[in-house]
Amino acid sequence: MTVKNILIIHTQSGLNNLQGKEALDLSLIFGAYEQNVSVLFYQQGVTQTLAQQTPELINQKDYLSTIKALGIYDIDHVFACQNSLQQFGLANHELIQGVEQISLLDIKQLKSNADHIYVV
Protein backbone atom coordinates (compact mmCIF):
# COMPACT_ATOMS: atom_id res chain seq x y z
CA MET A 1 0.00 0.00 0.00
CA THR A 2 1.29 3.45 -0.91
CA VAL A 3 1.29 5.95 1.94
CA LYS A 4 -0.38 9.24 1.03
CA ASN A 5 -0.21 12.63 2.74
CA ILE A 6 -3.79 13.46 3.62
CA LEU A 7 -4.96 16.80 4.98
CA ILE A 8 -8.38 17.07 6.58
CA ILE A 9 -9.59 20.63 7.13
CA HIS A 10 -12.37 21.29 9.65
CA THR A 11 -14.23 24.51 8.79
CA GLN A 12 -17.47 24.11 10.76
CA SER A 13 -18.35 24.71 14.39
CA GLY A 14 -18.52 21.40 16.20
CA LEU A 15 -21.78 21.74 18.03
CA ASN A 16 -24.03 23.08 15.29
CA ASN A 17 -24.01 19.99 13.07
CA LEU A 18 -22.35 16.60 12.59
CA GLN A 19 -19.76 17.72 10.05
CA GLY A 20 -17.07 18.04 12.71
CA LYS A 21 -17.70 14.47 13.89
CA GLU A 22 -17.67 13.22 10.30
CA ALA A 23 -14.33 14.93 9.65
CA LEU A 24 -12.84 13.37 12.79
CA ASP A 25 -14.18 9.97 11.77
CA LEU A 26 -12.56 10.42 8.37
CA SER A 27 -9.26 11.24 10.08
CA LEU A 28 -9.47 8.08 12.17
CA ILE A 29 -10.28 5.92 9.14
CA PHE A 30 -7.26 7.18 7.21
CA GLY A 31 -5.11 6.86 10.33
CA ALA A 32 -6.22 3.26 10.79
CA TYR A 33 -5.04 2.56 7.23
CA GLU A 34 -1.61 3.95 8.12
CA GLN A 35 -1.83 7.03 5.94
CA ASN A 36 0.07 10.20 6.86
CA VAL A 37 -2.80 12.32 8.17
CA SER A 38 -2.71 15.97 9.20
CA VAL A 39 -5.73 17.71 10.70
CA LEU A 40 -6.30 21.45 10.40
CA PHE A 41 -9.00 23.39 12.23
CA TYR A 42 -9.74 26.50 10.19
CA GLN A 43 -12.28 29.34 10.27
CA GLN A 44 -15.20 28.32 12.55
CA GLY A 45 -13.59 24.89 12.89
CA VAL A 46 -11.16 26.25 15.48
CA THR A 47 -14.01 26.31 17.99
CA GLN A 48 -13.83 22.50 18.04
CA THR A 49 -10.39 22.73 19.66
CA LEU A 50 -11.59 24.39 22.88
CA ALA A 51 -10.72 22.21 25.84
CA GLN A 52 -13.57 23.18 28.17
CA GLN A 53 -16.74 22.23 26.30
CA THR A 54 -19.79 20.43 27.60
CA PRO A 55 -21.88 19.35 24.60
CA GLU A 56 -23.97 17.17 26.92
CA LEU A 57 -25.70 20.35 28.13
CA ILE A 58 -27.32 20.68 24.71
CA ASN A 59 -28.01 16.95 24.43
CA GLN A 60 -25.09 16.16 22.14
CA LYS A 61 -22.51 13.42 22.48
CA ASP A 62 -18.98 14.54 23.36
CA TYR A 63 -17.17 13.53 20.19
CA LEU A 64 -14.73 16.43 20.61
CA SER A 65 -12.72 14.39 23.11
CA THR A 66 -11.79 12.24 20.08
CA ILE A 67 -9.31 14.99 19.17
CA LYS A 68 -7.26 13.90 22.20
CA ALA A 69 -7.15 10.33 20.83
CA LEU A 70 -5.84 11.17 17.35
CA GLY A 71 -2.30 10.30 18.48
CA ILE A 72 -3.37 6.68 19.05
CA TYR A 73 -3.90 6.51 15.27
CA ASP A 74 -0.48 8.08 14.64
CA ILE A 75 -2.08 11.40 13.74
CA ASP A 76 0.48 13.68 15.33
CA HIS A 77 -0.07 16.78 13.20
CA VAL A 78 -3.12 18.56 14.59
CA PHE A 79 -3.21 22.28 13.88
CA ALA A 80 -5.42 25.32 14.49
CA CYS A 81 -5.10 28.36 12.25
CA GLN A 82 -3.58 31.30 14.18
CA ASN A 83 -5.62 33.87 12.26
CA SER A 84 -8.88 31.99 12.90
CA LEU A 85 -8.07 31.68 16.60
CA GLN A 86 -7.43 35.43 16.77
CA GLN A 87 -10.64 36.13 14.85
CA PHE A 88 -12.65 34.23 17.48
CA GLY A 89 -10.63 35.63 20.40
CA LEU A 90 -9.25 32.24 21.42
CA ALA A 91 -5.93 31.81 23.24
CA ASN A 92 -3.50 28.89 23.10
CA HIS A 93 -4.12 27.96 26.77
CA GLU A 94 -7.83 27.39 25.96
CA LEU A 95 -7.11 24.67 23.38
CA ILE A 96 -7.10 20.92 23.76
CA GLN A 97 -3.60 19.73 24.58
CA GLY A 98 -1.65 18.72 21.48
CA VAL A 99 -3.28 21.20 19.10
CA GLU A 100 -0.60 23.44 17.60
CA GLN A 101 -1.14 26.91 16.17
CA ILE A 102 -0.12 27.31 12.54
CA SER A 103 0.36 30.43 10.41
CA LEU A 104 -1.29 31.05 7.04
CA LEU A 105 2.10 30.66 5.35
CA ASP A 106 2.62 27.26 6.98
CA ILE A 107 -0.95 26.26 6.03
CA LYS A 108 -0.08 27.01 2.42
CA GLN A 109 2.94 24.70 2.71
CA LEU A 110 0.84 22.02 4.43
CA LYS A 111 -1.62 22.13 1.53
CA SER A 112 1.12 21.92 -1.09
CA ASN A 113 2.60 18.83 0.62
CA ALA A 114 -0.76 17.01 0.68
CA ASP A 115 -1.64 14.36 -1.88
CA HIS A 116 -5.34 14.66 -0.95
CA ILE A 117 -7.23 17.44 0.83
CA TYR A 118 -10.68 17.00 2.36
CA VAL A 119 -12.55 20.11 3.49
CA VAL A 120 -15.45 19.47 5.82
Side-chain angles (χ1 to χ4, degrees):
M1 171 176 16
T2 304
V3 176
K4 299 286 185 182
N5 291 320
I6 297 170
L7 174 60
I8 299 174
I9 303 175
H10 295 247
T11 61
Q12 303 294 317
S13 172
L15 300 179
N16 292 341
N17 54 50
L18 292 178
Q19 290 177 323
K21 180 184 180 325
E22 291 168 355
L24 279 174
D25 289 346
L26 186 61
S27 303
L28 296 174
I29 290 167
F30 284 126
Y33 283 98
E34 300 179 358
Q35 299 302 302
N36 185 20
V37 179
S38 297
V39 176
L40 171 64
F41 294 92
Y42 185 71
Q43 298 170 336
Q44 288 183 9
V46 297
T47 61
Q48 293 182 51
T49 65
L50 289 172
Q52 302 300 321
Q53 296 190 53
T54 52
E56 301 86 8
L57 293 177
I58 57 172
N59 296 321
Q60 287 193 358
K61 186 177 177 184
D62 180 16
Y63 76 86
L64 298 173
S65 60
T66 305
I67 296 169
K68 299 173 194 172
L70 291 173
I72 295 170
Y73 290 83
D74 293 325
I75 301 171
D76 299 321
H77 303 288
V78 181
F79 304 103
C81 173
Q82 286 176 335
N83 285 21
S84 299
L85 289 168
Q86 290 172 350
Q87 179 184 355
F88 286 94
L90 304 177
N92 195 44
H93 70 275
E94 296 177 282
L95 305 182
I96 293 172
Q97 186 175 6
V99 176
E100 300 175 51
Q101 289 191 29
I102 188 171
S103 70
L104 290 176
L105 183 61
D106 289 335
I107 289 171
K108 185 176 179 178
Q109 185 65 44
L110 191 63
K111 287 179 176 181
S112 70
N113 290 340
D115 295 310
H116 302 284
I117 299 174
Y118 298 90
V119 180
V120 182

